[in-house]
Amino acid sequence: MSSNNSGDNPTLSEEVDDSSSSIQERLRAGARQVLVAFFLLVLAAALWELAKVITGSNDRTMPHIWDTLSFLGSTTSQNENYSWFLFKNAWSTAKASLIGLLVGTAFGLVTGTSIARSRFVGNGLMPLIVAAQAVPIVAIAPALVLWLGTGGVTKTVITTYLTFFPITVATARGIQSVPKESHELLRTYGASKRTSLRILELPFASPLIFVGLETAAAFSVVGAIVAELPFGSKEGLGVVILTSWQFYITEPRALYCVALTSCALGAVFVLSVRLMAYFALGPRSQGEVL
Amino acid sequence: MSGESQNFGLRATQLGKRFSSKGGDVQALENVDLEVKQGGFMSIIGPSGCGKSTLLRAFSDLVEPSTGEISVNGKLPSEARAAREFGVVFQSPNLLPWRTVLRNVTLPLQVMGVDRQSRNQTAQEMLDLVGLESFSRHHPWQLSGGMQQRVAIARALSTNPSVLLMDEPFGALDEITRDRLNLELMRIWGNLSATILFITHSITEAVFLSSQIAVMSSRPGRITELIDVNIPYPRNTETRDLPEFYELVIEVRRALLEASALTT
Ligand SMILES: Nc1ncnc2c1ncn2[C@@H]1O[C@H](COP(=O)(O)OP(=O)(O)OP(=O)(O)O)[C@@H](O)[C@H]1O
Ligand SMILES: [Mg+2]
């Protein structure tokens, strides 16, 4: 989506005095972020334990963090390591999320561009898209499953549906905010619509599009899990969540483990997008420019 | 495309432009006659809002004239644009911040489909010309305003245009920097022999650069006076100390005052 920063001339070995983007500086900034994230995780765990003490919950409803984590090492009825079992299902969910995210992004880029380009399309389509966003997907997911089956198609439809919206809005907004002078600049060189999309509009909009993509990435995981919840699905984190609900009374730790796994998957998705943005946009991903 | 008009880099005959909007119509230009010989340097000076940018935008095919005729190298502006005969320098540098300096300069060539290697080479030459050869890998935000404007000039020159349209390119700069860039522009122009239409609010800048100065009045925007600057080129720092220079500055100031008096 952004071929902009590919650097036309890697052979020019002139020194770049841009100290803000030196490798060391970047690594240090990255390390700092990891540290902060780790600290927040520890804090969350501490709060959990504190809440447990304050509310006087028993170990059944609120198991200790370490108890929950130790459950990851247990064995399932299929004689499988529980972590491996979770990983397998997470992998299945991840695949579905990714497909939906890609399809939704493609649709979103096209729709967003058409909305920005044509007032007619924009005025007609935008309210529809916003209205469609109000449909509670969890409510209609079972109906979709009845209609499209429990296979990959349903998952893709639901995740696409969820990811399409943030990308569309971000793309449309981004392209609409290209300054008039930049358009005039390209016009004086007789740039075609396609060229100006490639050289000007998409690169200009890409920081916003990446923000939309981050939201979409989180939505895609939620969408895939929701698609797996209806009875009849065979694998995925949604299925594991469903079975863990059934056994919650006897083994609450299973549910917490799969919940943590879902969070982790979402985090992996969002962070991957952020990393992509970082490499594609450089300092612009930090909002330093524009 | 008559043989006669071929000699003019820029020509407007009875040019008029009327903007219609909800708040009422504005006659931005009326009966404007302007002729710039090929290789000539014409400055336009006039009160704010008198239609200078509109005139320049008409030449650069960004504004459609309401009446009259207009030509660039004897061609319609749209044809001249298609033939890449003019380059435009806007009032703001108008650089793309995600592109390096070099890639900002290559932009017009990229649009034209020139291959990467030759467009990089041309851009590097243009950067040499404006004295920014060592900043090719920087980004626009790492440059001062004056340097950014020089990049914009290098970009406009990259297609080797025979006509340069410049809308207050140094308007936002301090006087020292402006003087320096004026000198640089003279040097560049001497090497290129392009036709230049140059809009400015600075009397000394207009006198220093131009072979002819058109003074405009506003509402409706029209040319009230044409002043020839008979100071031989090449011009340099000493030019500003010549008595002719002072006389011309005084004459342009008077013409400008008269033009402003016409405006109510
Ligand atoms: N696109 C437009 N729509 C409506 N009116 C316009 C438009 N462009 C310019 N005008 C009007 O035309 C008149 C001339 O504007 P123009 O920008 O050419 O002035 P200018 O001489 O360049 O002024 P300045 O020195 O401040 O840049 C102004 O009254 C302006 O309001
Ligand atoms: Mg103007």
Side-chain angles (χ1 to χ4, degrees):
Chain A
M1 135 184 6
S2 71
S3 58
N4 45 336
N5 239 310
S6 54
D8 243 1
N9 203 346
T11 50
L12 256 184
S13 59
E14 225 155 301
E15 77 291 345
V16 177
D17 77 348
D18 177 11
S19 54
S20 68
S21 67
S22 82
I23 301 281
Q24 273 172 334
E25 192 101 344
R26 283 192 189 199
L27 282 179
R28 213 169 299 146
R32 216 175 300 139
Q33 283 192 351
V34 171
L35 220 72
V36 169
F38 183 73
F39 173 75
L40 288 177
L41 274 180
V42 172
L43 190 71
L47 281 176
W48 173 271
E49 292 296 328
L50 188 68
K52 191 168 150 56
V53 173
I54 291 174
T55 59
S57 306
N58 59 22
D59 286 357
R60 191 165 287 287
T61 45
M62 266 185 106
H64 285 291
I65 298 283
W66 46 90
D67 275 345
T68 303
L69 290 181
S70 73
F71 189 73
L72 288 172
S74 66
T75 311
T76 65
S77 53
Q78 253 76 48
N79 215 3
E80 210 173 19
N81 179 285
Y82 193 66
S83 308
W84 174 243
F85 169 75
L86 279 178
F87 179 80
K88 258 184 10 190
N89 284 286
W91 181 248
S92 158
T93 303
K95 276 190 298 189
S97 308
L98 192 62
I99 293 171
L101 184 59
L102 291 178
V103 178
T105 302
F107 270 125
L109 284 174
V110 172
T111 320
T113 306
S114 346
I115 287 174
R117 285 266 172 107
S118 144
R119 182 167 302 169
F120 183 72
V121 176
N123 288 344
L125 218 54
M126 209 52 176
L128 265 179
I129 292 174
V130 173
Q133 222 37 42
V135 175
I137 194 70
V138 186
I140 61 162
L144 272 178
V145 171
L146 284 180
W147 182 34
L148 298 169
T150 54
V153 180
T154 312
K155 285 196 197 182
T156 309
V157 167
I158 291 177
T159 46
T160 302
Y161 179 83
L162 280 176
T163 53
F164 159 83
F165 183 66
I167 303 283
T168 303
V169 173
T171 308
R173 279 277 173 283
I175 292 181
Q176 278 164 348
S177 49
V178 173
K180 189 168 142 267
E181 307 91 73
S182 305
H183 277 302
E184 289 185 344
L185 174 73
L186 264 81
R187 192 183 136 81
T188 56
Y189 295 111
S192 67
K193 283 199 155 192
R194 256 184 68 189
T195 308
S196 104
L197 186 69
R198 183 169 55 88
I199 292 186
L200 174 63
E201 289 162 314
L202 285 182
F204 182 90
S206 52
L208 246 172
I209 293 176
F210 270 111
V211 172
L213 198 57
E214 239 173 72
T215 316
F219 282 8
S220 75
V221 175
V222 175
I225 291 176
V226 166
E228 290 159 354
L229 281 179
F231 184 76
S233 305
K234 278 161 204 73
E235 55 173 0
L237 289 176
V239 178
V240 183
I241 289 175
L242 207 62
T243 40
S244 304
W245 273 343
Q246 289 158 3
F247 298 110
Y248 184 74
I249 304 299
T250 46
E251 185 46 272
R253 291 180 298 172
L255 186 61
Y256 288 115
C257 280
V258 62
L260 281 176
T261 312
S262 308
C263 291
L265 184 61
V268 167
F269 264 63
V270 172
L271 290 177
S272 308
V273 171
R274 212 167 269 189
L275 206 67
M276 268 166 53
Y278 189 70
F279 283 108
L281 302 174
R284 285 212 303 160
S285 68
Q286 251 64 112
E288 277 172 37
V289 191
L290 285 179
Chain B
M1 245 185 264
S2 69
E4 192 209 349
S5 64
Q6 280 289 352
N7 301 328
F8 292 109
L10 294 164
R11 188 180 206 188
T13 13
Q14 291 297 298
L15 175 68
K17 176 65 194 178
R18 193 176 185 84
F19 288 110
S20 315
S21 55
K22 281 178 209 137
D25 289 6
V26 178
Q27 187 75 36
L29 295 172
E30 193 174 78
N31 298 343
V32 172
D33 288 309
L34 189 77
E35 286 170 353
V36 190
K37 281 201 211 66
Q38 286 193 338
F41 197 123
M42 168 80 79
S43 283
I44 296 184
I45 197 163
S48 185
C50 71
K52 303 180 294 296
S53 296
T54 305
L55 180 58
L56 184 130
R57 290 162 61 79
F59 281 119
S60 44
D61 194 29
L62 291 170
V63 153
E64 190 77 23
S66 311
T67 54
E69 298 196 346
I70 189 165
S71 69
V72 178
N73 284 339
K75 302 185 176 90
L76 286 175
S78 55
E79 293 167 351
R81 181 171 63 111
R84 270 92 191 193
E85 295 197 23
F86 60 77
V88 182
V89 180
F90 298 85
Q91 192 162 349
S92 63
N94 205 355
L95 304 174
L96 302 181
W98 60 89
R99 290 185 156 230
T100 59
V101 165
L102 186 82
R103 297 194 67 233
N104 265 288
V105 179
T106 58
L107 184 95
L109 300 170
Q110 189 183 359
V111 172
M112 286 163 62
V114 175
D115 69 277
R116 178 169 298 195
Q117 188 165 7
S118 47
R119 71 182 189 237
N120 280 348
Q121 194 185 333
T122 311
Q124 197 62 54
E125 284 166 16
M126 295 305 123
L127 287 174
D128 284 350
L129 201 61
V130 298
L132 288 178
E133 58 279 2
S134 56
F135 290 90
S136 57
R137 304 258 286 166
H138 285 62
H139 280 85
W141 73 84
Q142 298 170 304
L143 306 184
S144 71
M147 289 157 96
Q148 291 185 17
Q149 204 51 272
R150 274 146 79 193
V151 176
I153 292 173
R155 178 178 61 194
L157 294 175
S158 67
T159 59
N160 192 22
S162 54
V163 174
L164 258 186
L165 304 166
M166 309 177 88
D167 192 350
E168 294 184 52
F170 310 134
L173 306 178
D174 68 273
E175 209 158 324
I176 307 282
T177 313
R178 178 192 285 236
D179 284 355
R180 234 199 25 249
L181 290 182
N182 283 171
L183 272 175
E184 213 162 280
L185 182 60
M186 280 291 91
R187 181 177 56 76
I188 292 167
W189 182 56
N191 295 339
L192 297 174
S193 64
T195 311
I196 297 187
L197 185 71
F198 189 95
I199 294 177
T200 179
H201 279 291
S202 158
I203 298 171
T204 49
E205 182 174 64
V207 173
F208 180 73
L209 296 171
S210 331
S211 47
Q212 214 173 27
I213 300 171
V215 181
M216 286 183 74
S217 72
S218 49
R219 254 154 274 150
R222 56 170 90 209
I223 293 174
T224 54
E225 210 161 329
L226 271 174
I227 298 170
D228 287 311
V229 181
N230 289 315
I231 301 173
Y233 293 100
R235 297 182 188 161
N236 48 37
T237 10
E238 281 92 72
T239 307
R240 296 194 182 97
D241 303 328
L242 295 173
E244 302 98 288
F245 185 85
Y246 279 104
E247 282 160 25
L248 279 158
V249 166
I250 291 166
E251 191 183 343
V252 174
R253 180 171 301 132
R254 177 198 50 76
L256 201 50
L257 269 174
E258 278 173 17
S260 311
L262 291 176
T263 316
T264 33

